[in-house]
Amino acid sequence: MRLQLCCLLHAAAAARSGFLNREKYAAVDTERAVADAGGATVKVGAPQHAQVVLHQTEPRAPSMIHDRKRHAWRLWSEGFHAESLDGVAWKQTRLDVKGHVFEDPSRRERKRRYKAFANGEALSSSDGLHFTRAKDGRAPSSIRSAFYDSRRRSYVAYKELGNATSVRYESEVWPGPYASKLLHDAPAIVIPYYSIYVGITDACRFAWSGDALEWTVLAGGVIEECHTPLNPLRDPATGELRVYAFDGKKNASLTLYRFHADGFAGLRSPSTSIITSRVLPCKGRAPVVTA
C-alpha cells in the first residue's frame, strides 16, 4: 500500500487558535504535524507533466510570483517582464529590472507591495513595473529567492554561494540593515509552504525545513531534466505546486512542472501504515485528512 499525503489537516479559524500555520499542515512536517509515521517515509512525487511555456534564452536573475491582486503569473528578469493569466501563455514587455522581485503581503506595505533586491539596493513599486529606491536602504545582492515571512514578521532573502552553501539574510524592516547567517547543506531557493518551508537547489532537488535554517533533503526529490529552477509557487486556484525552470536540454526554454496538491511530497509505505498526528488544537469544523 502506498500512502502519499501533502496536506494533513485543515484547521478552521486557525488564525484564532494560535497556530503558526493558518490552514494546513504538510505531512512531511514531523516537527508540528506528524508524531509517528508508522514506518512510512517522506518522498517527493513525480510531476504530472512537463510543459514548455516560454521560448526564451535563459535570463539572469529571474524571479516569478503569482500576483494575488491581478490574478496573474508574473515573471521578471534583466531586460524583460512577462505576464500570464494561466501561467502557460505569456506576454512579454521590455523592462530593465536588475534584481529579484517578490510580492509583499504585509499590511503596512500595501502601496508598495512589490519589492526587489538589486545590486545592494532595496527597491519598491506599486505596480511591479516602476521601482523606486528606498532611502538609505542596505540590501543584499545576487539574491536567488526572497519573501516576507509572516511567521517571523521579517523580510528574508537567500543567496547561493555554491557547494550546497547559502547565506540567509533577515531584517524586520524592508530597507535593512540585514543580518546574515551562513547555511551549509541548504538550498538558496526557498518559499513558505503551509506549516513548513520548501527549498529547491539548482540541481532541482527538493528539501524541507521547519525553521528555514536546518534542512532535510526529500528522498526522490529530483526533477529530471530540470536545469535552473525559479522559486516554487502554489497555485491558489488548484492548490498544486508549480516549479518553473529553464531547461538546458530544451534550448533553455522555460518549462513548467506541475505537482498535484496531494502529490507534491508526502509519506509512502510499501505496506499498511498507521500515521499518528501530534495533538493539533483547532476550532470550527472537524479536521480533514487528504490522501
Side-chain angles (χ1 to χ4, degrees):
M1 176 182 180
R2 183 179 71 178
L3 299 178
Q4 185 166 331
L5 309 179
C6 174
C7 306
L8 238 175
L9 295 175
H10 301 248
R16 298 191 299 272
S17 70
F19 274 111
L20 291 177
N21 170 64
R22 294 181 179 178
E23 297 177 351
K24 300 179 181 179
Y25 279 83
V28 301
D29 189 353
T30 55
E31 296 180 6
R32 299 182 182 89
V34 178
D36 185 355
T41 57
V42 178
K43 290 187 178 181
V44 173
Q48 293 177 321
H49 63 275
Q51 178 182 10
V52 175
V53 296
L54 185 64
H55 294 281
Q56 172 74 40
T57 302
E58 184 172 334
R60 296 182 60 188
S63 54
M64 183 182 292
I65 68 168
H66 180 272
D67 194 316
R68 297 176 300 168
K69 187 174 182 179
R70 297 166 69 102
H71 303 289
W73 304 83
R74 303 182 70 180
L75 169 67
W76 289 266
S77 185
E78 292 188 11
F80 80 95
H81 165 261
E83 188 166 338
S84 172
L85 294 178
D86 60 5
V88 176
W90 294 82
K91 294 182 179 180
Q92 298 184 58
T93 57
R94 293 195 59 81
L95 180 68
D96 190 21
V97 177
K98 298 179 180 179
H100 185 92
V101 181
F102 68 98
E103 188 176 11
D104 183 354
S106 60
R107 293 182 178 180
R108 62 187 177 187
E109 294 291 329
R110 289 178 178 175
K111 295 182 179 180
R112 300 179 299 172
R113 62 193 185 93
Y114 301 98
K115 300 294 194 298
F117 291 102
N119 299 323
E121 295 180 320
L123 310 180
S124 63
S125 170
S126 61
D127 59 6
L129 299 175
H130 306 89
F131 287 84
T132 58
R133 295 176 175 84
K135 184 178 180 181
D136 299 325
R138 290 171 288 175
S141 58
S142 303
I143 293 302
R144 287 301 308 275
S145 63
F147 54 90
Y148 177 77
D149 193 332
S150 58
R151 305 171 198 172
R152 300 174 62 90
R153 297 183 180 180
S154 62
Y155 295 93
V156 179
Y158 289 82
K159 177 180 181 178
E160 185 177 32
L161 298 182
N163 297 321
T165 303
S166 62
V167 180
R168 183 179 188 275
Y169 299 93
E170 185 173 11
S171 175
E172 293 183 355
V173 293
W174 166 242
Y178 284 79
S180 62
K181 182 177 180 62
L182 184 67
L183 304 179
H184 298 284
D185 298 321
I189 302 174
V190 177
I191 63 165
Y193 187 75
Y194 299 121
S195 60
I196 62 174
Y197 298 89
V198 170
I200 185 170
T201 69
D202 260 353
C204 289
R205 180 178 294 275
F206 282 104
W208 81 277
S209 173
D211 59 7
L213 298 174
E214 300 293 332
W215 290 88
T216 300
V217 175
L218 293 172
V222 179
I223 306 175
E224 300 296 334
E225 298 184 359
C226 170
H227 181 59
T228 303
L230 281 68
N231 45 300
L233 296 168
R234 189 174 69 89
D235 186 342
T238 65
E240 70 179 11
L241 186 73
R242 294 187 175 194
V243 176
Y244 290 87
F246 286 93
D247 192 338
K249 294 185 179 181
K250 294 184 176 66
N251 297 319
S253 297
L254 183 65
T255 302
L256 167 60
Y257 300 87
R258 301 172 185 259
F259 292 86
H260 191 273
D262 291 331
F264 154 57
L267 299 171
R268 290 184 178 182
S269 174
S271 60
T272 301
S273 296
I274 298 177
I275 302 170
T276 306
S277 76
R278 299 186 184 278
V279 177
L280 302 175
C282 60
K283 298 179 180 179
R285 63 174 183 255
V288 176
V289 176
T290 61

